[in-house]
Amino acid sequence: MGFRAIGGWVERPEHPQPALQDHVSADVVVVGAGFAGLNTALELAARGASVVVLERDFAGFGASGRNAGYLGGSLAVEYDMFLKRVGHEQAKQIVAFYDAGVDYVEGKLAAYGIACDYIASGIIRAGVHLSQEKKLRKDMRTGLELGSVSRFLDSADLRARGIPPAFLFGCYTERGGTLDPGKYVMGLRRAALAAGVRIYENTEVLSFSEGATVRVETARGSASAPFLVLATNAYTPQLGLLGNKVMPLRVSAIETEPLSAAQLAALGWPGREGIMTPHWVMESHRLTARNTLVITTKQIDYVYGGRTPNVPDIDAYHALETALRDRFPMLAGLRVRSCWSGYISVAYDALPVVGEAGEYRNILYAAGCSGHGVATQSMMGQLLADRLDGTENPFRPALEHKTPSTLPEPLQWCAVKTTLGLLNVVDEYVNRKARRPAP
C-alpha cells in the first residue's frame, strides 16, 4: 500500500494561492483553512467583513482532508464522558448542537453548490459480536434521553438493508450520511475565494502578539487585525494556546482498490450507509463514490509532547487491513491501495473547546473535534462569526463549560498510552470472539 502524506481525498491545488509577502491587514485574520477556518471566513465575508486566511500548506491539508467523511450528528457521541460534568439540560443542548451541524453543512452544500458525493443515507453504529449489544443499547438509551433520534436494527433489519453479514445489529440514525471531505473542503475554498476572502497558502504562522490589534508573524510577512481566529484544531497547542486543554491523537485510514462489479454484487450494501462500530476504539467502514472501501481509526496513537509528525503508522494500517479481512471475507484478494494518517484534537471530556483569549478577548479559538469534525467544526464557523459581530448564538451557552486540564509530560504520555493499550486489548478480545465460527 502507498502512504499518502496529504491524505486520500485531496490533491495539491494546481493553482495554489500565493504565500503571504510583506504586511496585510483585515477586520479578521483566520489561521487554518479547514472546515472551521473556511466556514468562519465565509460567514464573516457574508456579513461584510474583510478576512485574511493563513494556511501553512494548502486548504484541506490537515484533518479536514484526511477524515472518514462522515457527516454525522450526535450518534456515537461519548455521552457518558460529559453528562455528569455538565448536567442533563446542558447535555441536551450539546446533543442538539451536534445534530444541528448536519443541517448546517447540508445547507452550505446547497448554498455554495458544492458537489462532494454526499449521500444522505444516515449512519449505522453496528456491532460485530453479541457482547457489544449491551453497550450499544445503553448508549442508545442515553442518546434518546438527550434528544438523539435513532432506532435499533436487529439482524433481520440489517439483512433487509443489504448490510454485510459481519454486522449483527445496530443503532441507526437517518440524519446525515457520507461525503468526500476533500471535495467539500475544496468547495469551501472556491466559495471563500469567490466571496473575496484573501487566502494565503504555504504560509506558516510563526507567532502572534496580543493587543487591541493582533499581529501575526509568518516566514515572509505579517498580518494584523482587531480579531484573530485560531481554527487550527490539533495544531493549536503548537501556537502556544490550549496546550493544557486538548491533545492531538493520530488516527489512520486505508483505502482499497476499486471494487469490480462482481465484488460490489457480492458485497451488497446498496444504501451505502456509513458504518461505525461500538468498539472502545471504533472502526468505521464506508463505500466511496469511486467504489472503494475506506476503513478508519481502529488504532489511535499519541506522540510524546503532543507532537504531530506527518509519518506513516504501520501498526495502525495492519490493524485496519485485518479489520477489512474480518468484516468483508467475500472480498478476499481485494488489495489495499493507499493509507494515510492525521491528527484530531481531543479534550479529556470529549467536548468541543471554544472560547476566547488575550487581554482584549479578541483571540478566538475552536478545537476538540474528537472525531466529529465535519459537522461540528463546520458549524463553528457560524458560532465564531456570531461572536465577532455580537450576534447571540443559541448554542454558545451550551458549549461553555470548564474543560478539564491535561496532564504534564511524561504523565500524559504514560496515561494515554496505557489507556489506549488497554482499550486495544479489550477490542481485540471482542474481535477474536467475532472470528470464531458460531456453534
Side-chain angles (χ1 to χ4, degrees), residues 18 21 62 70 130 149 195 244 256 265 274 281 284 325 341 390 417 423:
Q21 306 276 357
Y70 285 66
L130 292 175
V149 179
N244 65 336
T256 70
V281 180
S284 77
R325 308 306 173 199
S341 298
K417 296 289 279 190
L423 295 180

Side-chain angles (χ1 to χ4, degrees), residues 243-316:
N244 65 336
K245 297 299 180 185
V246 298
M247 57 181 173
L249 294 180
R250 183 165 61 208
V251 297
S252 298
I254 61 172
E255 182 175 12
T256 70
E257 296 283 355
L259 277 66
S260 67
Q263 287 172 322
L264 285 169
L267 180 64
W269 206 349
R272 299 189 177 221
E273 302 91 339
I275 297 175
M276 58 185 69
T277 68
H279 289 86
W280 289 104
V281 180
M282 74 168 187
E283 302 169 10
S284 77
H285 304 266
R286 60 165 294 194
L287 270 170
T288 71
R290 49 193 183 235
N291 290 331
T292 61
L293 277 168
V294 169
I295 303 172
T296 67
T297 310
K298 187 61 179 171
Q299 285 191 5
I300 56 181
D301 198 14
Y302 174 75
V303 181
Y304 187 89
R307 297 191 301 273
T308 55
N310 188 14
V311 296
D313 191 333
I314 302 302
D315 289 343

Side-chain angles (χ1 to χ4, degrees), residues 35 39 42 71 101-120 177-181 183-188 190-191 374 378:
F35 299 146
N39 274 293
L42 281 162
L71 179 56
V102 175
D103 301 331
Y104 180 85
V105 173
E106 289 178 339
K108 295 307 177 185
L109 297 183
Y112 303 137
I114 298 176
C116 59
D117 304 323
Y118 177 50
I119 302 177
T178 60
L179 50 72
D180 183 318
K183 291 181 179 180
Y184 171 42
V185 74
M186 287 302 173
L188 292 175
R190 288 192 298 272
V374 178
S378 293

Side-chain angles (χ1 to χ4, degrees), residues 298-299 314-324:
K298 187 61 179 171
Q299 285 191 5
I314 302 302
D315 289 343
Y317 306 143
H318 287 163
L320 289 167
E321 188 165 7
T322 298
L324 166 68

Side-chain angles (χ1 to χ4, degrees), residues 48-172:
S50 63
V51 186
V52 162
V53 176
L54 306 179
E55 166 56 48
R56 74 176 186 179
D57 206 298
F58 63 90
F61 173 79
S64 296
R66 302 187 201 192
N67 63 53
Y70 285 66
L71 179 56
S74 57
L75 184 71
V77 168
E78 297 294 343
Y79 312 114
D80 289 342
M81 291 187 68
F82 63 83
L83 178 55
K84 290 182 180 179
R85 289 184 58 85
V86 304
H88 191 270
E89 289 306 310
Q90 187 172 354
K92 286 180 65 175
Q93 292 302 308
I94 291 170
V95 166
F97 167 78
Y98 279 100
D99 286 336
V102 175
D103 301 331
Y104 180 85
V105 173
E106 289 178 339
K108 295 307 177 185
L109 297 183
Y112 303 137
I114 298 176
C116 59
D117 304 323
Y118 177 50
I119 302 177
S121 58
I123 294 173
I124 301 174
R125 193 179 188 203
V128 301
H129 189 265
L130 292 175
S131 60
Q132 294 179 310
E133 184 173 350
K134 181 179 179 180
K135 178 179 186 296
L136 188 143
R137 284 187 179 273
K138 177 180 179 292
D139 291 346
M140 180 179 169
R141 284 195 301 270
T142 304
L144 288 170
E145 292 170 2
L146 297 177
S148 181
V149 179
S150 61
R151 68 176 188 270
F152 187 80
L153 302 179
D154 61 20
S155 179
D157 295 325
L158 292 180
R159 301 295 80 77
R161 301 180 75 96
I163 301 299
F167 303 103
L168 307 180
F169 49 84
C171 175
Y172 172 65

Side-chain angles (χ1 to χ4, degrees), residues 17 24-28 50-54 192-193 196-200:
Q17 294 301 294
V24 295
S25 60
D27 296 322
V28 182
S50 63
V51 186
V52 162
V53 176
L54 306 179
L193 291 171
V197 174
R198 288 172 286 169
I199 300 176
Y200 295 94

Side-chain angles (χ1 to χ4, degrees), residues 28-41 44 51-56 58-64 185 205 208 228-237 239 241-242 343 345 353-355 363-369 376-382 384-385:
V28 182
V29 172
V30 177
V31 181
F35 299 146
L38 291 173
N39 274 293
T40 300
L44 291 169
V51 186
V52 162
V53 176
L54 306 179
E55 166 56 48
R56 74 176 186 179
F58 63 90
F61 173 79
S64 296
V185 74
V205 169
F208 62 87
L228 171 65
V229 174
L230 297 179
T232 42
N233 205 23
Y235 304 98
T236 308
L239 296 175
L241 202 64
L242 302 186
Y343 293 87
S345 69
V353 180
V354 56
I363 300 171
L364 280 65
Y365 54 80
C369 66
T376 60
Q377 292 301 297
S378 293
M379 195 165 168
M380 282 298 178
Q382 184 181 68
L384 294 170

